[in-house]
Amino acid sequence: MDNFQKISRFLVVLSFLLIHGSCDTTPEITDAMLDGKLIFDPSLDRPEDFLLSLSKPNPTPAEASKPVFILMHGYSASTFEWEEFRTWSANTPDYFLSFVLLGGHGRTYEDFKRATWRDWQNSIRQEYERLVAAGYTN
């Protein structure tokens, strides 16, 4: 494992530790914290338009070696937060993007309130594992 991979793994582990260590297990969530009681993300209807593992499940060897950025959004947000970056990055031959909708997000307010950091993390882990299983290496 080269230094870049070691640093990358360290940063991922550190991020999860910070999220877990800094989250209140029973935060008060009010309507004012969200845009509304019903939040719908288009990645729920068309996940293949957002997740690389579904849009390119059989990469060529050249594609499999390109960097893949798994992009996640912030608290109470959705994949929409990355739309401007997606547009800016369109047609780049240098890397791939995969937009993960975190568990409990993009659905209903009640689903969001019930979700925990583990649900959020699970969406990221599932996409990562699908990419590795498909042969992506970077």
Side-chain angles (χ1 to χ4, degrees):
M1 180 181 324
D2 67 16
N3 283 340
F4 179 75
Q5 288 174 318
K6 288 179 185 176
I7 291 170
S8 295
R9 287 189 181 168
F10 170 76
L11 290 174
V12 168
V13 170
L14 179 63
S15 295
F16 288 130
L17 289 174
L18 289 173
I19 289 171
H20 174 62
S22 64
C23 289
D24 181 353
T25 58
T26 57
E28 182 180 338
I29 300 171
T30 66
D31 289 350
M33 296 169 136
L34 304 172
D35 290 336
K37 288 191 177 206
L38 179 63
I39 303 169
F40 185 77
D41 192 88
S43 67
L44 293 168
D45 272 348
R46 297 182 325 277
E48 66 280 358
D49 291 348
F50 295 84
L51 298 172
L52 180 63
S53 64
L54 300 180
S55 66
K56 282 193 172 291
N58 301 303
T60 65
E63 289 172 334
S65 67
K66 286 184 183 182
V68 176
F69 295 97
I70 299 175
L71 304 171
M72 58 216 90
H73 54 80
Y75 175 76
S76 80
S78 71
T79 56
F80 172 78
E81 305 303 319
W82 287 104
E83 244 355 271
E84 187 176 357
F85 185 69
R86 180 202 295 249
T87 301
W88 180 81
S89 295
N91 304 317
T92 182
D94 301 325
Y95 54 84
F96 290 115
L97 302 175
S98 190
F99 302 88
V100 175
L101 179 64
L102 301 183
H105 290 69
R107 296 162 181 88
T108 66
Y109 177 67
E110 290 304 315
D111 286 343
F112 178 76
K113 284 176 36 174
R114 280 191 299 273
T116 69
W117 67 270
R118 286 179 178 89
D119 299 310
W120 306 346
Q121 182 185 51
N122 192 40
S123 301
I124 300 162
R125 181 179 290 125
Q126 286 176 346
E127 177 61 358
Y128 174 80
E129 289 171 354
R130 282 191 303 261
L131 290 166
V132 169
Y136 291 94
T137 59
N138 195 0

